[in-house]
């Protein structure tokens, strides 16, 4: 595998990582869309890479009636359709599927959790019998990871039921909050997004989870953090000496973080119309990217040092008054539009399960400022939207113009400012825009220095592979801590309040909804 430029030595940090440990991997919502498209394909890819610990036992937990063999057949179809390793020998899948079992139970009833507790404790070996009743002898792991791939309304209830069945980690009841899970092995809870819909509900959910799981055992997913290109932000900033000296308000004039999608909301209307772009994307993915771009170097690479630095960024976000917020933000909603290939996306208000007079935004933009030493006065714009002409995610660091002398004095606006673009997807890479002489004439034109991931590696793991491996290894660096989530919500809560109090029919610059046809070009930052 061509991984990294062969001319240079590779400094492998693997030795400093925790190793994934064998565990029960219990997926609540194992027949759902996320499990089908992401979780099982990622588990299979890890298996194919030899990165799943020996002795893992995967249990799918869902409501519909399925035999183990039927469930494995569904997983086979998921893997064929969505795994990176999509061509594989039958024997490879058999080795993987021999780890997979299915437990039919209702999330809302305690019986399923008690059944699960018995299975995990090794008190129900019959569960692992083949569908024809043939017994199997398995050596069971001591640890258990519970992955909540279900709607957010179930998160608290599952944690409560797990705790009641003796499957939690909070040992507050036994008065030993700092002790590990002891001879029974560790217990971890992986929680999907959305994590709350405002600061108050996020805090209430955290309190519920903390009744049965310690904070260190809770892994809140933001799948953006699992992307290689996002992890590279820390490597780019802190493994190089060229960027950090100019990574501040003396040299950077603005930062823009954009995540645009071509699809409309499709079948997600029921959830989306209660959320909107700010809650769905700004509060988590874009805010996390901002933290990674602007945080101070952590003291060490351990998870808490990194998360502490991110929290400091969130604490330094300037709090605007409602009128300032409206001025610093834009919201929009798509109306019907046709793509170049004739695809039509209906108006948002006509999408399934969307209120016909909905004021929910499908485009959100917010320009923040950090009141800290490094970035004081640098506008940081976060923007995201659905149903645009292009799909991409990127961060643009815009540097200040050179002094108005020599070339800058003569060229004026034609001399572009340097910019560092960090492309998260597609065309993953980094490019630097700089000015260069045109050959043969005394003239200047901007050009690009480009680094493309695809040129140096044909191996770009999926975000879920990394996140699952890290959760199994107990490395929480790429997961959201409770205080990060709450601080990020506080900013979005104020924005939502300001928008609620503004007439959606007002002009966009006064806080109203900008109506854009689906497949519109990406708007300039100022809306
Ligand atoms: N889908 C994505 O791409 C995506 C991306 C990011 C985050 N997420 C988050 O991931 C979570 C799951 O989303 P999803 O799209 O996979 O949802 P989904 O397709 O609706 O699947 C829901 C799952 O929950 C199970 N379930 C629901 N009620 C149950 C009950 N009372 N007892 C037992 N099982 C029950 C269903 O089992 P049955 O089928 O047996 O009824 C199904 O397996 C959500 O929090 C979502 O926000 C999803």
């Amino acid at each position: 595998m061509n991984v990294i430029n062969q001319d240079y030595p590779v400094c492998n940090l693997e030795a400093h990582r925790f190793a994934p440990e064998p565990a029960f991997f219990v997926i609540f919502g194992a027949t759902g869309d996320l499990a089908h498209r992401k979780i099982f394909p990622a588990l299979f890819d890890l298996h194919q890479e030899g990165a799943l610990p020996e002795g893992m036992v995967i249990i799918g937990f869902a409501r519909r009636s399925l035999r183990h063999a039927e469930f494995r057949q569904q997983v086979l179809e998921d893997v064929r359709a969505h795994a990176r390793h999509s061509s594989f020998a039958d024997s490879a899948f058999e080795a993987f599927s021999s780890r997979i079992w299915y437990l039919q139970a209702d999330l809302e009833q305690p019986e399923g959790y008690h059944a699960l507790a018995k299975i995990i404790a090794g008190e129900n070996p019959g569960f692992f019998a083949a569908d024809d009743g043939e017994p199997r002898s398995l050596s069971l792991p001591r640890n258990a990871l519970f992955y909540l791939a279900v709607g957010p309304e179930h998160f608290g209830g599952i944690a409560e039921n797990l705790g009641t069945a003796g499957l939690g980690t909070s040992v507050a009841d036994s008065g030993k909050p700092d002790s590990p899970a002891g001879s029974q092995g560790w217990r971890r809870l992986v929680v999907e997004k959305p994590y709350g819909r405002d600061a108050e509900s996020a805090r209430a959910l955290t309190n519920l989870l903390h009744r049965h799981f310690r904070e260190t055992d809770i892994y809140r997913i933001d799948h953006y953090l699992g992307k290689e290109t996002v992890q590279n932000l820390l490597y780019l900033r802190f493994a190089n000496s060229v960027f950090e000296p100019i990574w501040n308000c003396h040299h950077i004039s603005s930062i823009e973080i954009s995540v645009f999608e071509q699809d409309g909301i499709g079948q997600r209307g029921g959830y989306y119309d209660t959320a909107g772009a700010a809650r769905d994307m700004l509060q988590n993915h874009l805010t996390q990217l901002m933290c990674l771009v602007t945080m101070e170097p952590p003291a060490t690479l351990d998870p808490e040092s990194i998360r502490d630095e991110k929290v400091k960024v969130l604490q330094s976000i300037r709090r605007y008054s409602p009128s300032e917020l409206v001025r610093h933000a834009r919201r929009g909603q798509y109306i019907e539009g046709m793509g170049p290939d004739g695809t039509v996306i209906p108006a948002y208000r006509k999408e399934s399960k969307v209120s016909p007079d909905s004021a929910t935004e499908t485009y959100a933009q917010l320009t923040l400022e950090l009141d800290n030493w490094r970035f004081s006065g640098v506008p940081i714009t976060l923007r995201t939207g659905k149903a645009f002409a292009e799909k991409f995610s990127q961060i643009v660091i815009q540097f200040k113009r050179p002094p108005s002398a020599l070339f800058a004095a003569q060229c004026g606006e034609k001399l572009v400012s340097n910019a560092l673009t960090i492309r998260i997807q597609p065309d993953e890479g980094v490019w630097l825009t700089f000015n260069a002489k045109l050959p043969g004439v005394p003239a200047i034109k901007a050009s690009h220095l480009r680094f493309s991931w695809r040129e140096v590696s044909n191996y770009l793991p999926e975000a879920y592979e990394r996140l699952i491996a890290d959760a199994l290894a107990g490395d929480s660096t790429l997961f959201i801590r409770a205080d990060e989530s709450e601080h990020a919500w506080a900013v979005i809560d104020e924005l939502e309040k300001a928008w609620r109090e503004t007439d959606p029919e007002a002009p966009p610059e006064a806080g109203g909804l900008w109506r854009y046809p689906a497949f519109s070009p990406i708007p300039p930052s100022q809306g």
Side-chain angles (χ1 to χ4, degrees):
M1 197 184 327
N2 171 20
V3 176
I4 286 286
N5 189 328
Q6 299 297 319
D7 296 333
Y8 296 106
V10 174
C11 169
N12 196 339
L13 304 173
E14 205 65 33
H16 300 283
R17 287 189 60 196
F18 312 119
E21 293 175 46
F24 282 94
F25 192 98
V26 182
I27 305 169
F28 291 95
T31 51
D33 180 64
L34 183 74
H36 283 311
R37 288 192 308 108
K38 297 291 181 188
I39 301 175
F40 281 109
L43 283 167
F44 180 70
D45 284 326
L46 286 169
H47 170 85
Q48 288 297 79
E49 296 285 336
L52 270 194
E54 282 297 317
M56 275 248 314
V57 174
I58 300 169
I59 298 180
F61 183 118
R63 185 166 40 181
R64 68 190 70 172
S65 168
L66 288 171
R67 295 157 72 93
H68 298 311
E70 289 170 318
F71 182 61
R72 289 180 194 131
Q73 182 59 33
Q74 287 188 0
V75 173
L76 174 60
E77 284 157 27
D78 300 340
V79 164
R80 281 219 175 97
H82 303 293
R84 256 184 330 107
H85 295 91
S86 52
S87 56
F88 46 83
D90 289 351
S91 57
F93 186 75
E94 272 163 33
F96 175 63
S97 74
S98 66
R99 301 159 172 247
I100 299 178
W101 311 88
Y102 183 73
L103 177 62
Q104 182 205 356
D106 189 329
L107 285 175
E108 294 174 11
Q109 303 299 327
E111 290 79 8
Y113 301 86
H114 290 296
L116 187 60
K118 283 193 157 180
I119 292 165
I120 290 174
E123 292 167 9
N124 183 7
F127 175 75
F128 298 105
D131 289 329
D132 61 7
E134 184 73 26
R136 294 235 183 128
S137 107
L138 273 183
S139 125
L140 299 179
R142 290 159 61 240
N143 308 313
L145 179 150
F146 305 108
Y147 195 124
L148 310 193
V150 293
E153 67 280 12
H154 295 297
F155 295 165
I158 295 177
E160 181 69 30
N161 275 306
L162 285 170
T164 307
L167 291 170
T169 61
S170 167
V171 277
D173 296 345
S174 63
K176 292 183 285 180
D178 294 328
S179 68
S183 58
Q184 65 171 357
W186 51 250
R187 305 284 181 252
R188 292 182 189 143
L189 197 64
V190 177
V191 188
E192 266 295 337
K193 86 171 221 193
Y195 194 83
R197 73 181 311 277
D198 52 27
E200 192 182 333
S201 56
R203 197 173 312 119
L205 177 55
T206 297
N207 288 341
L208 262 179
L209 302 187
H210 281 178
R211 286 172 61 178
H212 298 288
F213 290 86
R214 292 172 304 181
E215 178 59 25
T216 48
D217 299 313
I218 300 172
Y219 292 72
R220 296 174 191 81
I221 293 243
D222 184 325
H223 72 270
Y224 257 66
L225 296 182
K227 292 178 188 286
E228 287 287 317
T229 41
V230 171
Q231 292 162 46
N232 189 45
L233 282 169
L234 293 187
Y235 290 67
L236 180 84
R237 289 190 55 198
F238 303 131
N240 294 296
S241 58
V242 290
F243 300 119
E244 213 40 32
I246 54 169
W247 210 262
N248 55 49
C249 57
H250 304 297
H251 299 279
I252 291 176
S253 61
S254 65
I255 298 174
E256 184 179 85
I257 302 177
S258 310
V259 177
F260 284 96
E261 293 172 63
Q262 275 181 318
D263 293 338
I265 55 145
Q267 297 308 307
R268 293 177 69 214
Y271 156 70
Y272 199 89
D273 206 36
T274 63
R279 285 195 180 94
D280 189 46
M281 299 292 290
L282 280 194
Q283 185 273 344
N284 38 57
H285 310 317
L286 283 99
T287 302
Q288 283 293 323
L289 293 177
M290 178 187 74
C291 288
L292 294 174
V293 169
T294 58
M295 66 187 240
E296 292 297 323
T300 68
L301 286 175
D302 73 74
E304 295 317 319
S305 295
I306 293 175
R307 301 198 296 184
D308 286 348
E309 292 306 332
K310 288 199 285 173
V311 166
K312 286 183 203 162
V313 171
L314 295 166
Q315 286 172 322
S316 68
I317 294 174
R318 178 176 298 178
R319 305 306 274 265
Y320 296 130
S321 68
S323 62
E324 284 174 324
L325 257 177
V326 164
R327 257 191 295 120
H328 284 87
R330 290 283 186 279
R331 59 175 165 165
Q333 188 187 74
Y334 61 83
I335 55 177
E336 185 181 292
M338 187 190 286
D341 64 353
T343 310
V344 173
I345 294 184
Y348 175 74
R349 288 179 179 180
K350 295 214 168 130
E351 296 274 23
S352 155
K353 297 190 188 153
V354 168
S355 160
D357 57 357
S358 172
T360 299
E361 78 287 354
T362 57
Y363 170 72
Q365 176 185 314
L366 177 61
T367 299
L368 296 168
E369 278 180 62
L370 301 182
D371 282 331
N372 63 20
W373 199 258
R374 187 190 278 260
F375 279 109
S376 175
V378 177
I380 302 171
T381 300
L382 314 181
R383 57 198 201 126
T384 181
K386 290 195 177 293
F388 278 93
E390 286 175 73
K391 173 185 166 74
F392 69 90
S393 307
Q394 69 180 25
I395 299 164
V396 179
I397 314 289
Q398 191 73 53
F399 291 95
K400 291 191 170 169
R401 295 179 59 72
S404 185
L406 303 178
F407 301 117
Q410 292 193 48
C411 298
E413 291 300 313
K414 285 187 187 154
L415 190 79
V416 306
S417 308
N418 296 132
L420 188 72
T421 301
I422 300 158
R423 186 81 164 186
I424 295 163
Q425 63 182 27
D427 316 323
E428 293 86 347
V430 181
W431 60 88
L432 178 71
T433 311
F434 71 108
N435 294 300
K437 183 182 180 302
L438 273 183
V441 280
I444 301 174
K445 188 169 187 273
S447 200
H448 289 139
L449 278 174
R450 273 179 185 269
F451 159 76
S452 162
W453 283 78
R454 300 284 168 189
E455 280 169 24
V456 293
S457 171
N458 51 20
Y459 170 61
L460 220 45
E462 280 288 314
Y464 276 90
E465 286 174 58
R466 175 65 195 261
L467 295 173
I468 288 172
D470 282 3
L472 283 169
D475 182 345
S476 52
T477 311
L478 303 179
F479 297 85
I480 312 296
R481 211 167 58 188
D483 52 349
E484 287 181 72
S485 168
E486 269 186 47
H487 283 298
W489 272 123
V491 176
I492 298 304
D493 286 355
E494 286 172 11
L495 176 65
E496 292 288 349
K497 183 164 182 289
W499 277 344
R500 256 196 321 275
E501 290 168 359
T502 307
D503 181 359
E505 301 306 322
E509 57 280 9
L513 272 176
W514 166 50
R515 300 291 166 77
Y516 61 95
F519 298 105
S520 287
I522 306 298
S525 265
Q526 292 314 308

